[in-house]
Amino acid sequence: MSFGLVVVIGVGAVSTAVSSASAGAGEGRLNVDAIPADARHLASWVVRAGAMCPELNAPMVAAQLDLESSWNPAVVAHNPADRGGDAVGIAQFQTGTWATWGGDYDEDGRNEPADPEDAIVALGRLMCDNIAWAQRGVGSGQLSGDVLDLAWAAYFCGRRCVSDAGGATAFDYPQQVRSRTGRYTLVASVGAWQFPLPAGSYELVSRFRTASRPSHDGVDLAAPAGTPIYAVAGGVVLDAGCTSAYCDRPGNPELGGCGLRVNLNHGGLATRYCHAVRLNVTAGALVQAGDVLGWVGSTGNSSGPHLHFEVHLHAPPMSSATAVDPAPYLGL
């Protein structure tokens, strides 16, 4: 296992990230600046924990620590004995759980949940074992749902609790972790952004999750039909195609789906482009910023020609939990 320091210099600011050499989800780069100043010395331990299995990464571990303790290694949550007793430290381990997953990983002579370095690594070990348990359960049909959600739910209340509940949907813990992950993810691979429509061709008609549209996970940019849709940054086409019952003609507000849609993976960040009249790319294609993905239309759940555009952090996979406001990225 190897670790490196990545320094990204922008206009007027320096942002620091610690990255892991592991593959898969472990490629997530930790935004150290998001960690409270008095806990930033723990960043290398977060990276170590996030590199323990391919499905996990450092921003996920950081998000979980944020949720468990707000990075406070001295916090104690008092629980009755029949609920496992007190939960202690930065990762909120209970005595019985610590007996299995704890250890003196930093060789300082301390082996207790109040030792933050040990607790962070123990969290990684337990999460990876939970992930393996969830994969076995899903594979055998005994569990259903997203493997990470099942693993996070098991960290929260135990595996038997998750099994008895029939999955992870009964718990909001997984979504709370997901909602914090973007804050700890440094996206430095996308380069300069291209606006997704030509200058002067669009009007912003709907923003991200307004009071009247709380489930609107992007921004709507009205533009004439046939206006080219550009990739905002270089990436790989995750998928491109029709997501509605039909896409050979304009849709309507009663029709479900995004119409003709393109999803792009930029590496730790993904973007979505909806309601095109025609597409110019296929899944697996490599694109650069400014490449034409398709042309504005009104397919799917739409009342007129426009581009619905989304930004997702810590993605893929893309879901409402990973969506963030695109406005700061587009300068809107």
Side-chain angles (χ1 to χ4, degrees):
M1 187 182 304
S2 62
F3 310 104
L5 183 67
V6 180
V7 179
V8 181
I9 302 178
V11 178
V14 177
S15 180
T16 307
V18 177
S19 63
S20 165
S22 64
E27 291 174 353
R29 300 168 70 184
L30 180 64
N31 180 9
V32 177
D33 291 342
I35 300 174
D38 60 354
R40 287 177 193 159
H41 65 287
L42 300 171
S44 62
W45 295 97
V46 174
V47 171
R48 179 177 174 181
M52 299 187 99
C53 56
E55 299 81 6
L56 200 61
N57 67 25
M60 293 180 193
V61 172
Q64 200 167 352
L65 294 170
D66 182 308
L67 177 58
E68 288 289 339
S69 66
S70 299
W71 298 92
N72 181 1
V75 68
V76 176
H78 296 293
N79 299 304
D82 62 358
R83 291 183 54 202
D86 292 349
V88 178
I90 199 167
Q92 288 291 277
F93 274 101
Q94 294 174 301
T95 302
T97 309
W98 183 254
T100 303
W101 302 106
D104 186 16
Y105 301 109
D106 56 350
E107 299 180 352
D108 62 357
R110 298 177 65 193
N111 179 6
E112 57 185 26
D115 185 359
E117 292 88 349
D118 285 349
I120 291 169
V121 179
L123 181 152
R125 287 186 64 204
L126 174 52
M127 275 301 300
C128 287
D129 200 72
N130 280 347
I131 289 167
W133 165 80
Q135 289 171 330
R136 292 192 299 270
V138 171
S140 67
Q142 295 177 324
L143 295 171
S144 63
D146 181 89
V147 166
L148 276 169
D149 286 348
L150 291 164
W152 278 318
Y155 190 97
F156 172 69
C157 75
R159 298 176 188 179
R160 182 172 180 178
C161 170
V162 176
S163 297
D164 290 347
T169 56
F171 311 98
D172 65 355
Y173 186 91
Q175 295 309 314
Q176 290 191 55
V177 177
R178 288 187 184 279
S179 70
R180 288 165 167 79
T181 302
R183 154 188 339 170
Y184 293 104
T185 302
L186 184 77
V187 180
S189 61
V190 296
W193 277 57
Q194 158 82 46
F195 200 86
L197 295 173
S201 70
Y202 62 89
E203 178 185 356
L204 175 63
V205 293
S206 185
R207 288 189 175 271
F208 178 82
R209 295 181 185 170
T210 61
S212 61
R213 302 182 72 188
S215 299
H216 191 236
D217 288 339
V219 294
D220 287 345
L221 304 168
T227 301
I229 301 169
Y230 302 132
V232 297
V236 179
V237 178
L238 285 168
D239 58 74
C242 182
T243 62
S244 299
Y246 57 83
C247 293
D248 59 346
R249 56 195 184 277
N252 60 74
E254 306 304 317
L255 183 65
C258 211
L260 284 172
R261 181 190 77 186
V262 176
N263 287 333
L264 293 185
N265 181 7
H266 306 285
L269 178 149
T271 52
R272 172 168 289 168
Y273 313 75
C274 295
H275 308 305
V277 66
R278 186 160 58 93
L279 298 182
N280 194 43
V281 292
T282 56
L286 297 173
V287 298
Q288 302 300 319
D291 284 355
V292 175
L293 304 177
W295 292 267
V296 169
S298 187
T299 53
N301 181 257
S302 174
S303 58
H306 73 286
L307 170 66
H308 172 87
F309 175 76
E310 298 180 9
V311 175
H312 292 255
L313 290 180
H314 178 55
M318 302 167 74
S319 69
S320 184
T322 61
V324 297
D325 188 356
Y329 294 86
L330 299 181
L332 293 172

